[in-house]
Amino acid sequence: MDLSPLQYVLVALAAVGAGAVNALAGGGTLITFPTLTAIGVPAIAANVTNTVALSPGYLGATLAQGQEIRAQRRRLWYLLPAAALGGLAGGLLLLNTEERLFRQLVPFLILLASLLLAVQEPLRRWLVSRADAGAGRQLSEQWAAVPIFFAAIYGGYFGAGLSVIILAVLALVLDDSLTRLNALKQAVAFVTNLTAAALFLFSGQVLWTVAAVMAVGALIGGAIGGRLAGRIQPATLRRVVVVIGVAVSIIYFIRG
């Protein structure tokens, strides 16, 4: 589809905002996806393009925690295949969903993503207190692959808020520090999104010029977010994004 120069500017600004938000608090998809649909991009094409454009950002976050990730090689052997299979399954499910049905699901998906972002900080506090209390897990670590697979299906299908789900799953099954679990979360989220994005490359649904503009904008936004890290409270920004997400979901509900 052909977009006007003004629409490209709006997409670029949304991507810059998403990149900055992702660097500071997470939830950038709650900015870019609604922007794409607002300028007339079909919901599935918007979701696919958004995934492809923003997936490089997961690589940067993963490389930043490479040392912690490499120290958990044994876990990667069963978690990453589960993430890849789940991301692939979610992507296939999306591509086989009718546009009309997906549009009906969009407000629920955005509301879910907003709620996940809202509980991110309480979840983190709970994980820290759980670790301090020395709460042990009874399940074998390999069982973590099962819920990770189902979380990755959601990640391949829509993805916003995926990191919160993954961190919660890992914390419930694996007995480890929050730092190491967070690093593992980055690797799992990266593989999930990479697998889905690789599938979408051949789907015919990617708006390539839009994806290119968004990718550049997200990289610029990420750099800006990194510079603002000490000046903006992530919790405050997260609350703003949650309010935006809930408002957008209400608008989608009203529009039907």
Side-chain angles (χ1 to χ4, degrees):
M1 61 180 294
D2 295 326
L3 300 182
S4 69
L6 177 58
Q7 288 174 321
Y8 276 113
V9 170
L10 291 175
V11 168
L13 291 175
V16 170
V21 165
N22 280 338
L24 291 166
T29 293
L30 295 176
I31 299 175
T32 49
F33 177 78
T35 300
L36 290 175
T37 58
I39 63 174
V41 179
I44 291 179
N47 193 30
V48 166
T49 301
N50 187 71
T51 298
V52 171
L54 299 186
S55 58
Y58 285 92
L59 175 60
T62 302
L63 292 177
Q65 301 191 56
Q67 184 175 352
E68 291 288 351
I69 292 172
R70 288 191 296 272
Q72 303 180 75
R73 287 190 184 92
R74 185 174 62 83
R75 289 172 172 172
L76 299 179
W77 280 106
Y78 51 85
L79 291 181
L80 296 191
L85 290 174
L88 180 62
L92 289 171
L93 183 61
L94 174 67
L95 296 177
N96 286 279
T97 301
E98 293 183 357
E99 178 72 23
R100 182 167 177 269
L101 173 60
F102 187 69
R103 285 201 309 269
Q104 293 173 341
L105 292 175
V106 161
F108 296 98
L109 292 170
I110 292 179
L111 184 59
L112 172 62
S114 302
L115 294 176
L116 288 171
L117 193 61
V119 302
Q120 182 173 326
E121 194 57 35
L123 172 65
R124 188 175 298 275
R125 289 196 297 268
W126 175 74
L127 295 178
V128 171
S129 64
R130 184 180 174 89
D132 291 342
R137 283 77 172 174
Q138 300 300 317
L139 294 176
S140 170
E141 287 191 349
Q142 283 75 11
W143 281 102
V146 177
I148 286 297
F149 169 74
F150 288 106
I153 292 177
Y154 167 77
Y157 193 80
F158 190 64
L162 172 65
S163 294
V164 181
I165 299 175
I166 293 175
L167 184 60
V169 168
L170 293 175
L172 288 172
V173 180
L174 304 180
D175 190 6
D176 214 330
S177 69
L178 181 58
T179 300
R180 281 167 56 87
L181 292 179
N182 195 61
L184 202 58
K185 174 207 71 179
Q186 295 290 2
V188 171
F190 171 62
V191 169
T192 300
N193 280 271
L194 181 65
T195 306
L199 172 66
F200 295 156
L201 293 179
F202 307 98
S203 67
Q205 295 271 13
V206 181
L207 303 181
W208 289 107
T209 53
V210 175
V213 169
M214 288 179 63
V216 174
L219 289 174
I220 294 173
I224 294 173
R227 290 181 176 273
L228 295 176
R231 305 176 187 177
I232 298 178
Q233 289 294 327
T236 301
L237 182 59
R238 192 177 296 117
R239 283 194 288 269
V240 172
V241 176
V242 168
V243 170
I244 293 173
V246 172
V248 168
S249 68
I250 292 173
I251 291 172
Y252 276 107
F253 275 119
I254 294 173
R255 289 169 53 183

